[in-house]
Amino acid sequence: MKKTVSIGILFFCTVMIFAASYADNQYQRLAEGYTARAQEAFDSGEYDLAVEYTIKAEENAELSRAYIELMLARADADTQIRVARNRLVWAKSIKADVNYPDKYNASSQKIETAQASFAAENYAEASAYAKEAMDLLSGIQENLTLPKYYVVQPWPESGDCFWNIAGEPYVYNDPFLWKNLYQANKDSMEDSSNPDVIHPGMKIEIPSISGEIREGVYDPNAQYGAFGK
């Protein structure tokens, strides 16, 4: 019995040395107090009492670990939310709420959800929502300009067709989205049933497909951003 209690106290003291590297808290202080009492009881030959105190010390040490984990999670969530909120303020300052309404509104909702989770002490969930908001906001660029119209150029020089035009970075950056151009412009085509027939000089509309703001006619000398980047 004496040997068992001695080993238990030695093990627990090792755990306490490790736990001492964390911030002080009420559970850790109780654990240290019970550890000291356990040692005193053990030295006095009161082995049953030493076991009782050791058990209480271990219980409080576990509560201390749980408390520390909770506080670390809280601090992380608080940081993540602050970063996301600051990024949202920056996004609004460059008119992302106008130029990127979908991403801006979605990220704003994510931050609100993160704050609600934080208030409910669900810190892991709060961090996750804040990070999702940052992922949405990371796609926002300053002074991004995209054209609303494009004038078809002669085929030998440009290879212009809905497929190639849709693949241009300032259009959709993806040729597979060519049907958006076709559907928006087929009523002005000579043969609306044939998407391959577009003619030089034809002014085609580039419809917004994700809430992005588009203005003006494409100018080859202008600087444009890349859609979706």
Side-chain angles (χ1 to χ4, degrees):
M1 178 66 174
K2 181 177 180 180
K3 183 178 181 181
T4 301
V5 174
S6 179
I7 293 174
I9 292 176
L10 179 62
F11 169 78
F12 183 70
C13 286
T14 302
V15 173
M16 289 305 301
I17 291 172
F18 177 78
S21 63
Y22 293 101
D24 187 28
N25 63 73
Q26 60 177 328
Y27 304 112
Q28 183 171 318
R29 291 192 293 272
L30 283 171
E32 291 172 348
Y34 279 120
T35 298
R37 292 182 186 180
Q39 188 64 60
E40 291 173 0
F42 177 79
D43 292 341
S44 300
E46 299 179 84
Y47 304 127
D48 290 338
L49 186 59
V51 170
E52 181 181 337
Y53 285 145
T54 298
I55 291 173
K56 289 183 178 181
E58 290 173 344
E59 290 173 348
N60 279 279
E62 184 59 36
L63 289 172
S64 176
R65 284 190 288 270
Y67 174 81
I68 290 167
E69 289 177 2
L70 182 66
M71 291 300 99
L72 290 175
R74 186 181 190 279
D76 178 65
D78 182 64
T79 298
Q80 297 294 342
I81 291 173
R82 288 177 183 274
V83 169
R85 280 201 308 239
N86 289 339
R87 184 69 177 181
L88 188 69
V89 170
W90 170 84
K92 188 174 181 62
S93 73
I94 62 166
K95 298 183 179 180
D97 54 330
V98 175
N99 297 323
Y100 297 86
D102 292 352
K103 288 184 177 181
Y104 181 87
N105 292 333
S107 61
S108 180
Q109 291 174 359
K110 292 286 186 183
I111 292 173
E112 288 181 7
T113 304
Q115 292 172 328
S117 296
F118 186 90
E121 298 187 359
N122 192 335
Y123 302 127
E125 186 177 89
S127 291
Y129 279 118
K131 290 175 182 177
E132 289 177 11
M134 281 298 297
D135 288 341
L136 288 166
L137 293 169
S138 66
I140 292 176
Q141 298 178 9
E142 190 169 4
N143 299 325
L144 175 63
T145 303
L146 296 173
K148 184 175 180 61
Y149 299 98
Y150 176 82
V151 177
V152 178
Q153 303 300 303
W155 172 265
E157 303 170 8
S158 64
D160 275 351
C161 62
F162 284 138
W163 172 274
N164 289 336
I165 295 171
E168 293 291 347
Y170 52 83
V171 181
Y172 296 134
N173 214 19
D174 184 350
F176 286 98
L177 297 177
W178 68 270
K179 288 185 180 180
N180 292 284
L181 298 176
Y182 171 56
Q183 291 298 327
N185 295 277
K186 66 179 181 179
D187 289 343
S188 61
M189 296 171 59
E190 292 182 7
D191 183 359
S192 61
S193 65
N194 188 351
D196 295 326
V197 182
I198 59 175
H199 301 287
M202 177 182 174
K203 185 179 180 180
I204 64 174
E205 179 183 354
I206 307 170
S208 171
I209 61 173
S210 67
E212 78 277 11
I213 299 300
R214 293 181 174 273
E215 298 177 339
V217 179
Y218 170 73
D219 180 354
N221 297 315
Q223 295 293 321
Y224 294 99
F227 177 78
K229 299 298 184 180

